[in-house]
Amino acid sequence: MADFTEATGDLSPQYRDHAVAALHASTDPHRELDILVVGGGVVGAGAALDAVTRGLDVGLVEARDWASGTSSRSSKLIHGGLRYLEMLDFALVNEALKERGLLLTRIAPHLVRPVPFLYPLHQRFIERPYVGAGIALYDALSFSGSHGRGLPMHKHLSRRATLRAAPSLKQDAMVGSIRYYDGQVDDARMVTNIIRTAAHYGAKVVNRTSVIDFLREGERVVGAKVKDHESGEVYDIRAKQVINATGVWTDDTQALVTDRGQMKVRASKGVHLVVPRDRFQSTVGLILRTEKSVLFVIPWGRHWIIGTTDTDWNLDKAHPAATSADIDYILEHVNTVLVRPLTREDVEGVYAGLRPLLAGESDSTAKLSREHVVAHPVPGLVVVAGGKWTTYRVMAKDAVDEAARSLDERVPESVTESITLLGADGYQAAWNRRGRTAELAGVHVARVEHLLQRYGSMARHLLAMIADRPELGAPLPGADDYLAAEVLYAVTHEGARHVEDVLTRRTRISIEAWDRGDSAAPVVADLMAGPLGWTPEQRDHEVEVYLARVKAERISQEQPDDASADAERIRVADIVSAT
């Protein structure tokens, strides 16, 4: 069994074997976990990190891959939620802005970075003072706490200045604008980093393992029966407290225990488009009002992310499908402000995710609560649901606080406000030295910058891999931004088990490449085969399943409605079933 007091945070195949053995051992006398977290999205990852850094013995299981649900399919923003100010939800905005500052300046400065936005103004006299007051309040609230803003203040722009910042906007699309800043993150990479940091502190984390039932002693939950989808093994994990952090699956997971006092979580589908950066000129992002919600146009490296929709979803939760109508809706609204309209041919990638909203009386998902709730429906089980991506740390803290109240021993307070994620320490120094590093490594400085912005100070590990095996410095086919070394690192350090894991979450090739990763898939499979011990048949199967997935997604995006799009998408089975 691994000595978890000397954990490194490297989620290698060997680590997974040791973690599974440690979870098995929880059924031995006096070896039960303090806390078992169910769900490897951002809240579950945060809960595992919060609990283990309080000195608790922690395990985490995820049915698919880290962040494979909602947490990898967001707008990729770390923000306070400007529109919630208009709803007078000051507490939520204040909390989110505090977390934004922490992430930018302390917890994850290597992963979260500033991004500028324009808020277009359409009425010459009335709108500017009204919107300006709201954004001024937004900036003012961000000063709460001792962590610092980490972002510039807002600025009022005339029409001429707005067009200088965004030349592709129609001249009559606005009378001026206000420029403000929020934060941006690669959501899937952030979750993986949180998971790795939890493992670094001693948590036992295992993906591709689902809860099929809860263990009970009378009314009390004392653990979970799980299935390892890699091996097919079913085994028990015992824990003093279980935290259910399964997002849109909350109702399903909770139903394994009780149908009394359930939270009701409603899934809202949000669709985003990815288009090349050169399709229109702008140095800033945009936030546009629609009749239903807001539409963001977000700078994303060599791309733009445009979204989102906000519609009820009652079909397959694992693979929400974007429809032709969703794509048309987004294009129609963004084209109202662009000189050169975007067309379907401009769309590189499409992704759909589900927001877990706390159900209320409103018929519109856009009006349901984004605040989170923590409950203890039966002894031994804590449920956390709702909330915003940005406030994951607060949600995790509240869930562990609730679980800790039922533990026999006194549990220390949360310390995650001061815990930096792996790669954050030394990042700024490494960034300042990037030119020298590129010279010493014999690679272009743009490659070093790419690695630093994805791995922080841990980029040195990938550069060392390339030094040992120069062929790992080659870019992947159809995805020049990503290197072969990143595929190998995903397997040896980040817990990737399948080609899909690498192309959709460890990298974002599935939404950034024109072919959505088809040409990269065989190369990725070859690189993964060695450390994972795949046979030639397994390698070929991985590629076939990924290509079938891409084809099914393309077909689903041609369908007119949710039902037909869902039917096309679920024709392709997961590489390993989570049921």
Side-chain angles (χ1 to χ4, degrees), residues 273-289:
L273 309 183
V274 182
V275 303
R277 191 69 178 265
D278 63 6
R279 289 307 186 263
F280 58 90
Q281 289 182 281
S282 179
T283 59
V284 294
L286 302 172
I287 178 171
L288 307 173
R289 299 296 297 265

Side-chain angles (χ1 to χ4, degrees), residues 517-538:
D518 281 5
S519 58
V523 175
V524 169
D526 286 340
L527 289 163
M528 299 180 74
L532 288 171
W534 287 347
T535 64
E537 292 76 20
Q538 284 176 296

Side-chain angles (χ1 to χ4, degrees), residues 136-147:
L137 177 59
Y138 192 67
D139 278 351
L141 288 173
S142 68
F143 281 103
S144 63
S146 58
H147 45 80

Side-chain angles (χ1 to χ4, degrees), residues 86-143:
E86 196 168 21
M87 300 176 187
L88 305 182
D89 199 342
F90 300 114
L92 176 61
V93 175
N94 187 59
E95 180 179 80
L97 288 173
K98 176 186 175 183
E99 294 304 308
R100 186 190 71 178
L102 278 170
L103 290 165
L104 279 161
T105 63
R106 183 184 301 168
I107 294 174
H110 58 311
L111 298 176
V112 182
R113 54 191 57 90
V115 59
F117 285 98
L118 292 183
Y119 191 111
L121 302 173
H122 305 283
Q123 299 176 31
R124 191 170 300 278
F125 301 110
I126 300 174
E127 192 176 18
R128 188 180 290 275
Y130 174 73
V131 175
I135 295 180
L137 177 59
Y138 192 67
D139 278 351
L141 288 173
S142 68
F143 281 103

Side-chain angles (χ1 to χ4, degrees), residues 270-525:
V271 174
H272 294 80
L273 309 183
V274 182
V275 303
R277 191 69 178 265
D278 63 6
R279 289 307 186 263
F280 58 90
Q281 289 182 281
S282 179
T283 59
V284 294
L286 302 172
I287 178 171
L288 307 173
R289 299 296 297 265
T290 73
E291 66 276 12
K292 297 179 181 178
S293 184
V294 296
L295 190 76
F296 285 102
V297 181
I298 307 164
W300 179 256
R302 296 199 291 178
H303 317 269
W304 296 100
I305 292 176
I306 307 174
T308 179
T309 60
D310 198 342
T311 56
D312 212 11
W313 179 264
N314 297 302
L315 301 168
D316 180 58
K317 294 174 184 174
H319 306 294
T323 66
S324 179
D326 292 328
I327 296 170
D328 288 343
Y329 172 87
I330 294 173
L331 290 175
E332 176 187 347
H333 281 81
V334 74
N335 284 338
T336 61
V337 299
L338 296 179
V339 172
R340 177 196 172 277
L342 297 175
T343 68
R344 289 291 188 98
E345 286 67 38
D346 294 315
V347 177
E348 290 175 292
V350 182
Y351 65 94
L354 301 178
R355 305 177 193 88
L357 304 179
L358 296 176
E361 298 301 319
S362 171
D363 290 332
S364 169
T365 59
K367 296 179 181 177
L368 294 182
S369 175
R370 297 306 301 271
E371 296 188 42
H372 68 274
V373 171
V374 175
H376 220 139
V378 297
L381 178 67
V382 172
V383 181
V384 56
K388 285 166 49 66
W389 211 106
T390 302
T391 59
Y392 81 88
R393 191 194 66 83
V394 178
M395 296 175 66
K397 171 187 174 298
D398 290 349
V400 177
D401 280 346
E402 181 63 29
R405 278 192 277 272
S406 299
L407 295 177
D408 294 336
E409 65 271 23
R410 185 181 180 280
V411 178
E413 294 295 316
S414 173
V415 295
T416 51
E417 187 168 324
S418 61
I419 296 291
T420 59
L421 300 186
L422 293 182
D425 288 342
Y427 165 68
Q428 193 58 59
W431 180 259
N432 293 341
R433 187 179 164 80
R434 64 193 184 280
R436 181 63 176 153
T437 299
E439 291 178 15
L440 293 173
V443 300
H444 195 281
V445 67
R447 294 294 191 196
V448 175
E449 290 176 349
H450 164 84
L451 294 176
L452 285 171
Q453 290 180 331
R454 286 172 51 74
Y455 305 94
S457 57
M458 294 186 295
R460 65 184 184 276
H461 300 152
L462 288 99
L463 291 171
M465 292 167 63
I466 294 169
D468 289 341
R469 294 176 54 186
E471 70 274 15
L472 294 178
L476 295 173
D480 290 347
D481 287 342
Y482 297 97
L483 304 179
E486 297 182 75
V487 177
L488 195 58
Y489 190 83
V491 176
T492 59
H493 289 72
E494 297 178 338
R497 304 289 299 180
H498 300 281
V499 167
E500 173 194 343
D501 299 345
V502 171
L503 290 175
T504 61
R505 288 174 291 277
R506 303 307 183 279
T507 69
R508 309 321 294 266
I509 291 172
S510 66
I511 60 172
E512 293 177 354
W514 282 106
D515 68 356
R516 305 194 184 182
D518 281 5
S519 58
V523 175
V524 169

Side-chain angles (χ1 to χ4, degrees), residues 202-246:
K204 299 89 168 169
V205 299
V206 181
N207 56 1
R208 301 291 178 181
T209 299
S210 63
V211 170
I212 57 177
D213 203 356
F214 286 104
L215 306 180
R216 306 285 291 272
E217 288 183 1
E219 286 294 308
R220 185 176 188 82
V221 170
V222 295
K225 183 179 291 294
V226 302
K227 181 176 181 180
D228 184 334
H229 297 287
E230 298 293 296
S231 66
E233 181 185 20
V234 175
Y235 61 96
D236 292 346
I237 303 172
R238 289 187 66 90
K240 297 172 185 175
Q241 291 284 310
V242 176
I243 295 177
N244 176 17
T246 51

